[in-house]
Amino acid sequence: MGNVVIKLGINEITEMKKYYSKQLVEKNPPGSVFSAKTPGCVITAYNSGKVLFQGNDSEKEAGRWGSVALSAGAGGAKKVVSSAKGDLPPGISQMSAIGSDEVGTGDFFGPITVVAAYVKKEHIPLLKELGVRDSKDLNDEKIIAIAKVIKDVVPFSLMTLKNDKYNKLQQSGMSQGKMKAILHNQAILNVLEKIAPNQPEAILIDQFVQPSTYFQHLKSQKAIAKEKVCFSTKAEGIHLAVAAASILARYAFVQYIDKLSEAAGFKIPKGAGAQVDVAAAKLIVSKGRDILPSFVKLHFANTDKAMALVNKRKF
Ligand code: MN
C-alpha cells in the first residue's frame, strides 16, 4: 500500500474528474477539486495541481495520468517504489511504449491474433484524435476504420495462430496461456527489431497470467523480451499502445472471420454461444467433420454440442 503524488495542469484535472465521474466522493477535503474512490485507490486532486493517490492501486492509477512523480507525504519522506514485479512505472501513460494484446481466445471460430504496437509519446495526441481508445467501447465498424488509419502510423507486429496449428498445439498438451505468452513475446521481439535503434521506455502487456507464469511459459524460447516489460489488467486504459494493439488485433481477427465466412459460404458468428454450435453443425453437414479443425478451437465444448445437433437432426 503506497501513496503517489503527481502534479497536473487544470485541464488534466478536469479530464480526470470526468474520468472518475461515477466514483466521485461527495465530501471534498479542504482545498481539493475533487475526491474519488476506486476499489483499490482513493484519488484526491488539489487546487494546487497536486493529485494524491492512496491505496494498493495507487501506482497503477497514477500511471494513467503520467507526469512527474513527486514524493508523497509531509517532508517528502516517502519514495515511490516501482521495482516490484508487475508494478507499473509512474507516468507510463505518457511514455513511448510498446503495448500488446490478443483477440480470439474465447471465440470458438477463428484464430488467436496477437498484436504488439509501438506508440511514441509524440504520437499519443494524434492517436487520441484518430479515436484510439478501449476497443470494448468500439464496434467492429469503428475498429476497422481506425485500424486502417493507424496501421500506417504505428509500427506493429501481428501474430496469427491459425486453427489447425492451435488444435495441434492444444492436443499436444500446451495450454492456451502458454500459446499466448509465446505469441506476445514474439510480437514484442518483432516490434523491438522493427523500431531499432529506437527503444521503448516501457513494454506493457495486457495481463492474462501472473508475470511469473508468463516468464515460466517462455522458458524454452530462444529470445525473451524481459527488460522494461510490465503487466496490467485493463491495460488498454493505461497506455494507448495497448489500445492500438487491441484494435489492430481485433481488425485482423474480423478479417480472418470474413475469410472463414467466405470459405464456409455463410456468415461465421463470433463468441462461444449457441449460435456458433448451429454454425458449426451447418459447416459439418455441408463440408464434413474433417473441415472443423481449420475453422474452430476443437477443445471448446461447442464441438460436442455441434455434433449433437448434427446427430439429433439426423442430417
Ligand atoms: Mn487482453
Side-chain angles (χ1 to χ4, degrees):
M1 173 139 166
N3 291 354
V4 178
V5 180
I6 62 176
K7 188 138 193 219
L8 296 174
I10 188 68
N11 290 340
E12 289 161 302
I13 287 178
T14 309
E15 196 185 319
M16 260 182 116
K17 191 176 175 181
K18 240 191 260 165
Y19 181 88
Y20 293 113
S21 61
K22 293 205 173 101
Q23 292 153 313
L24 291 178
V25 175
E26 263 182 43
K27 256 197 181 169
N28 292 346
S32 69
V33 183
F34 74 87
S35 183
K37 196 171 182 220
T38 72
C41 189
V42 174
I43 304 115
T44 311
Y46 292 92
N47 294 325
S48 65
K50 276 188 186 174
V51 185
L52 173 63
F53 298 81
Q54 295 166 292
N56 288 329
D57 287 350
S58 56
E59 284 180 30
K60 192 172 140 187
E61 276 311 315
R64 292 179 191 282
W65 304 101
S67 199
V68 190
L70 308 171
S71 51
K78 279 184 201 163
K79 274 247 167 110
V80 174
V81 183
S82 66
S83 55
K85 252 188 202 164
D87 278 357
L88 299 176
I92 186 171
S93 299
Q94 302 304 319
M95 288 179 178
S96 297
I98 291 176
S100 73
D101 198 9
E102 82 280 334
V103 169
T105 53
D107 295 272
F108 182 46
F109 282 98
I112 292 179
T113 56
V114 174
V115 168
Y118 177 59
V119 172
K120 276 193 279 193
K121 54 181 157 215
E122 301 81 37
H123 274 161
I124 291 173
L126 171 69
L127 290 184
K128 266 191 193 158
E129 205 156 305
L130 291 173
V132 175
R133 56 196 154 99
D134 201 326
S135 66
K136 280 155 205 106
D137 299 338
L138 301 166
N139 60 27
D140 278 354
E141 209 176 31
K142 277 211 176 112
I143 284 173
I144 291 166
I146 296 169
K148 280 182 177 165
V149 178
I150 63 172
K151 71 179 172 38
D152 300 319
V153 180
V154 170
F156 72 96
S157 168
L158 163 68
M159 305 293 297
T160 303
L161 180 58
K162 294 177 185 173
N163 295 88
D164 277 316
K165 178 105 183 269
Y166 175 96
N167 290 320
K168 273 193 194 122
L169 292 172
Q170 198 278 326
Q171 281 156 9
S172 79
M174 190 185 283
S175 69
Q176 209 192 52
K178 183 165 180 176
M179 294 180 210
K180 284 195 268 188
I182 293 170
L183 293 166
H184 275 267
N185 180 58
Q186 193 54 55
I188 290 164
L189 289 172
N190 291 348
V191 173
L192 284 170
E193 201 178 298
K194 251 188 196 176
I195 65 172
N198 289 310
Q199 279 198 18
E201 295 169 278
I203 299 173
L204 180 59
I205 298 175
D206 191 38
Q207 188 168 344
F208 54 93
V209 283
Q210 287 303 311
S212 57
T213 311
Y214 174 84
F215 289 113
Q216 183 70 28
H217 284 326
L218 295 178
K219 265 198 162 163
S220 58
Q221 299 298 301
K222 270 187 228 126
I224 302 170
K226 200 161 189 181
E227 204 190 329
K228 296 178 192 161
V229 169
C230 51
F231 301 84
S232 175
T233 54
K234 299 192 182 121
E236 291 181 63
I238 293 176
H239 200 289
L240 278 191
V242 182
S246 170
I247 286 170
L248 290 165
R250 179 150 296 279
Y251 176 54
F253 182 79
V254 169
Q255 278 186 313
Y256 201 98
I257 288 285
D258 286 348
K259 248 176 37 184
L260 289 182
S261 298
E262 216 171 287
F266 58 88
K267 198 165 165 23
I268 295 286
K270 300 190 195 81
Q275 75 283 6
V276 302
D277 304 338
V278 177
K282 213 166 137 185
L283 191 68
I284 294 165
V285 171
S286 62
K287 309 258 184 205
R289 169 71 173 73
D290 291 349
I291 198 80
L292 222 45
S294 54
F295 275 77
V296 305
K297 301 179 184 82
L298 280 179
H299 66 115
F300 278 36
N302 305 91
T303 301
D304 286 343
K305 289 183 192 161
M307 286 310 290
L309 284 179
V310 171
N311 294 332
K312 206 164 67 187
R313 292 185 186 180
K314 300 192 179 76
F315 284 110

